Amino acid sequence: MKFSLPHHKREKHWHISPGRLGLFSLSSVCLTSLLIIFFIFYPSNPSRVGTQQDLINQKNLLNRPKIMGGGEEEEEEYCDLFKGRWIQDLKGSLYTNWSCRTLPDSKNCGKHGRKDKDYLQWRWKPNECELPRFDPKTFFRIVHGKKLAFIGDSVARNQMESLLCLLSLEETPTDIYKDSEDRFRTWYFPSHDFTLFIFWSKFLVVGEERVINGSLSGEFDLHLDMIDNNWASKLHGVDYAIISDAHWFFRKNYLYEGGKLVGCVFCNEPNITDHGLNFALRKVFRSVLQYLNNCKECKVLLALVRTFSPAHFENGTWNDGGNCNRTRPLMEEEANLVGTEWELRSIQVEEVERARKKGEKRTKFVALDVTRAMLMRPDGHPGTHWNNQWMLDYNDCVHWCLPGPIDSWNDLLLAVLSREMKENGGSFMKLVI
């Protein structure tokens, strides 16, 4: 972004004798230069730490200059939207927990007793550019006549619920389909001919829960090379797919390929190799992206892999007293960028890159890389503030309050879709990641 000083009108013309004109002119030039330097480099509010540096370094994402060389335009500068920090934004959310009619009760933290509001007054700031706030009008112009599906677990649905609230600022959607378990939903925005889906899947691949002594065990047989047809069969006609999954992998699972048992995760059993969580997740995402790349029944598709969304349990896990009571974001140096969460994120990013290199025959792949940002937001979960009548004394440190930090995922989503439209001949400014 270019910063410039205003042009000031002259109020008087001073008449100076010819003998003193040279000296006066030189003095005027020096004084003017000093004043310009003063106004540019002296912060208007010295108490705001970093304000002047922000002014010097700030770049508008929509106005990145092209790098010129050899008389020809070269590749545009890239701004990594996913490396940054959370900065205070007293404007808060675009909607409230009362204004959004589609907001689910389980994410309505304010309704269920959360009194503090600080967690709503932060926005994600990439290091080298600005991330525009979500604009439903712009989003609808991009997706007019299109279909977008969130595919994955309940955190995938959490993002869909955030997007519904943001889009409802412009148009109230029509709820046109809900299955008997409320896991597959379809919303339609008639004024913009836009359809929004959630296709629910525990593992994205076939996962069959084991029955032990007549009861469900919580242990699954995962077929790493068999796509879950419950969502795959509904993909026909979808233009955008946002794929995410991982939380269901944190349990004892038995792994199959080609119908044969090849190992397990968290099983600690003789004669079975425990391949670990990372192995299973990589295999699943590789299978899913290969399926999308080779899907002849699918439309030309933009597939975004939303990277792992960390939980923030402290003092225990979800079923033994763990909680998430923080009320402010972490600084980047406080976030753990070398733990399990970061490893899972890296696997997903690597598989996106691998799928790109394999050809992108019918699908273009992009990573919606939210992990770094969300590692810094232990303050954004419902905790005790959710409708937990069926799970008393359990804290929800996996999902996200609405409104809340998860709304930033849709800021990023809009930025990526805007870029893609530009690359495909649209009229929106290119947003580069």
Side-chain angles (χ1 to χ4, degrees), residues 95-337:
Y95 65 95
T96 71
N97 63 310
W98 297 110
S99 67
C100 178
R101 296 182 180 181
T102 59
L103 196 152
D105 197 60
S106 61
K107 314 303 188 309
N108 195 337
C109 302
K111 176 182 175 181
H112 293 289
R114 182 158 187 172
K115 303 299 182 184
D116 68 294
K117 302 294 183 183
D118 289 350
Y119 73 100
L120 298 175
Q121 297 177 339
W122 299 86
R123 66 179 176 88
W124 180 245
K125 170 66 174 70
N127 289 331
E128 298 179 347
C129 57
E130 289 294 331
L131 176 65
R133 286 167 68 89
F134 188 90
D135 177 28
K137 289 185 172 63
T138 300
F139 189 91
F140 277 129
R141 284 197 292 269
I142 293 172
V143 301
H144 183 87
K146 304 293 186 181
K147 297 179 180 179
L148 185 152
F150 288 92
I151 304 170
D153 57 20
S154 55
V155 182
R157 178 167 179 153
N158 204 171
Q159 183 180 1
M160 184 273 292
E161 292 161 344
S162 164
L163 183 59
L164 271 177
C165 287
L166 291 165
L167 294 179
S168 295
L169 296 168
E170 179 68 17
E171 181 184 2
T172 301
T174 302
D175 186 357
I176 63 175
Y177 176 75
K178 177 173 69 173
D179 73 336
S180 60
E181 295 182 312
D182 194 16
R183 290 180 171 176
F184 290 79
R185 298 290 297 268
T186 304
W187 300 84
Y188 182 63
F189 295 83
S191 296
H192 300 88
D193 189 22
F194 172 61
T195 308
L196 183 62
F197 304 99
I198 177 68
F199 299 155
W200 189 85
S201 180
K202 292 185 181 76
F203 302 104
L204 299 175
V205 296
V206 173
E208 300 167 338
E209 189 168 3
R210 290 189 169 188
V211 177
I212 300 177
N213 296 325
S215 301
L216 295 174
S217 65
E219 303 171 7
F220 289 82
D221 293 322
L222 298 190
H223 296 267
L224 303 176
D225 52 358
M226 294 175 59
I227 301 301
D228 179 4
N229 196 50
N230 289 321
W231 67 264
S233 63
K234 297 175 174 60
L235 199 60
H236 177 74
V238 169
D239 300 279
Y240 307 104
I242 303 170
I243 301 159
S244 57
D245 206 33
H247 287 285
W248 280 86
F249 289 78
F250 286 82
R251 64 185 68 235
K252 184 187 290 187
N253 292 318
Y254 297 88
L255 310 178
Y256 293 78
E257 287 187 287
K260 297 180 179 180
L261 181 66
V262 296
C264 65
V265 177
F266 301 129
C267 70
N268 193 27
E269 295 181 15
N271 303 319
I272 302 179
T273 303
D274 191 331
H275 286 296
L277 179 63
N278 292 3
F279 172 88
L281 193 76
R282 185 183 296 279
K283 285 283 189 176
V284 166
F285 272 86
R286 184 166 298 181
S287 294
V288 169
L289 300 188
Q290 285 178 348
Y291 171 80
L292 294 176
N293 222 359
N294 297 322
C295 179
K296 296 180 180 179
E297 297 78 21
C298 301
K299 296 179 66 174
V300 175
L301 182 69
L302 174 63
L304 299 98
V305 173
R306 194 264 298 154
T307 61
F308 184 64
S309 168
H312 287 96
F313 287 101
E314 298 183 73
N315 306 311
T317 58
W318 69 274
N319 59 351
D320 61 3
N323 59 61
C324 43
N325 298 328
R326 295 179 184 260
T327 57
R328 291 178 65 84
L330 301 177
M331 301 296 289
E332 184 172 6
E333 56 269 21
E334 299 176 283
N336 183 10
L337 298 181

Side-chain angles (χ1 to χ4, degrees), residues 58-62 79 81-82 86 89 123-134 407-416 431 433:
Q58 186 182 57
K59 298 177 181 178
N60 190 316
L61 188 59
L62 299 179
C79 169
L81 296 176
F82 307 118
W86 293 93
D89 182 1
R123 66 179 176 88
W124 180 245
K125 170 66 174 70
N127 289 331
E128 298 179 347
C129 57
E130 289 294 331
L131 176 65
R133 286 167 68 89
F134 188 90
D407 294 322
S408 66
W409 299 6
N410 291 313
D411 295 339
L412 293 165
L413 172 62
L414 177 54
V416 172
L431 303 185
I433 58 174

